[in-house]
Amino acid sequence: GAVVSQHPSRVICKSGTSVKIECRSLDFQATTMFWYRQFPKQSLMLMATSNEGSKATYEQGVEKDKFLINHASLTLSTLTVTSAHPEDSSFYICSASQRETYNEQFFGPGTRLTVL
Amino acid sequence: LAKTTQPISMDSYEGQEVNITCSHNNIATNDYITWYQQFPSQGPRFIIQGYKTKVTNEVASLFIPADRKSSTLSLPRVSLSDTAVYYCLVGLSGGYQKVTFGTGTKLQVIP
């Protein structure tokens, strides 16, 4: 149980385009979802926290107009990278937690974004 | 958020026991200690979680002293497939509570 999926697993796009990444909790209701970014050989950096039905809370230094997060249902959160540039190329990972086991976060497999 | 400190890297031979220690001096009363494993280009995978004393599951043990200012992940008889980055996280007293990933420990298992 407690499986989180991400789609797509890998995406390549041209500079200036927007890319949407989906994060789904497959067998539980995720009251809170988190989005992380990871550059090569670095640790995970938290970008934002989203609760179902409310606006996301962004970490300092993360542009909310560039990284649009929507958590419209208890099983789906989306991250849209708007007007992507090569410096946005990274590994994006989501995690989710549920009310019943509040002391656990379940991570997705990640999405590799390459902006040309 | 409690900050964690771990060794950047460790090497071990196959079949040996590996102990990775994490320091978290400002851990809060309600904080749990959780360890994750990450392979390249994959999301972190849960290994073990504890609050105090010792916790053991089928893959690892977690030792937490009484003051909870540190913790040690113990991996028995490592194999080449255990080569990965191991992260110690402190927090998660509430699922909506964010956590901060430290540098992690890159474990290299040598044949």
Side-chain angles (χ1 to χ4, degrees):
Chain A
V3 177
V4 175
S5 70
Q6 285 184 237
H7 178 79
S9 58
R10 184 182 298 268
V11 56
I12 301 173
C13 70
K14 293 182 179 180
S15 185
T17 61
S18 294
V19 175
K20 179 184 285 188
I21 301 170
E22 294 185 347
C23 176
R24 294 183 184 272
S25 55
L26 299 185
D27 50 4
F28 67 99
Q29 292 186 328
T31 49
T32 305
M33 286 183 167
F34 305 84
W35 285 95
Y36 297 83
R37 180 168 51 179
Q38 185 175 34
F39 293 108
K41 299 190 185 302
Q42 293 187 23
S43 184
L44 284 75
M45 296 185 337
L46 180 66
M47 299 175 67
T49 303
S50 74
N51 294 296
E52 184 265 340
S54 62
K55 289 184 178 180
T57 301
Y58 291 82
E59 294 299 299
Q60 191 173 10
V62 177
E63 301 175 57
K64 61 181 180 181
D65 294 330
K66 180 170 185 60
F67 299 99
L68 302 179
I69 293 172
N70 185 284
H71 191 168
S73 77
L74 284 173
T75 59
L76 173 65
S77 176
T78 60
L79 167 67
T80 300
V81 183
T82 62
S83 186
H85 291 286
E87 58 265 30
D88 298 323
S89 297
S90 188
F91 192 53
Y92 292 87
I93 305 170
C94 73
S95 70
S97 62
Q98 56 180 324
R99 189 178 294 111
E100 292 77 16
T101 53
Y102 59 86
N103 58 330
E104 289 188 69
Q105 280 192 27
F106 306 99
F107 286 83
T111 297
R112 173 75 60 194
L113 169 64
T114 302
V115 184
L116 303 177
Chain B
L1 295 174
K3 181 181 177 182
T4 59
T5 303
Q6 306 173 230
I8 297 294
S9 64
M10 293 180 70
D11 291 338
S12 176
Y13 288 102
E14 270 191 297
Q16 289 190 328
E17 177 185 75
V18 171
N19 295 308
I20 306 174
T21 296
C22 178
S23 297
H24 28 80
N25 291 318
N26 59 339
I27 186 170
T29 303
N30 295 331
D31 285 343
Y32 284 81
I33 300 161
T34 312
W35 285 80
Y36 286 88
Q37 175 192 56
Q38 187 183 30
F39 297 111
S41 295
Q42 293 187 26
R45 184 175 75 99
F46 174 89
I47 300 175
I48 198 166
Q49 183 181 71
Y51 183 79
K52 61 180 180 180
T53 62
K54 176 184 175 182
V55 180
T56 298
N57 62 22
E58 61 275 11
V59 297
S61 294
L62 178 59
F63 299 92
I64 305 170
D67 65 6
R68 303 199 330 122
K69 293 184 183 299
S70 67
S71 59
T72 299
L73 172 72
S74 181
L75 304 172
R77 298 180 298 281
V78 294
S79 63
L80 294 177
S81 62
D82 293 317
T83 294
V85 178
Y86 293 82
Y87 293 98
C88 160
L89 274 70
V90 173
L92 295 178
S93 57
Y96 28 84
Q97 182 194 51
K98 60 185 182 181
V99 294
T100 300
F101 278 79
T103 58
T105 298
K106 174 69 190 303
L107 172 65
Q108 181 69 52
V109 180
I110 306 165

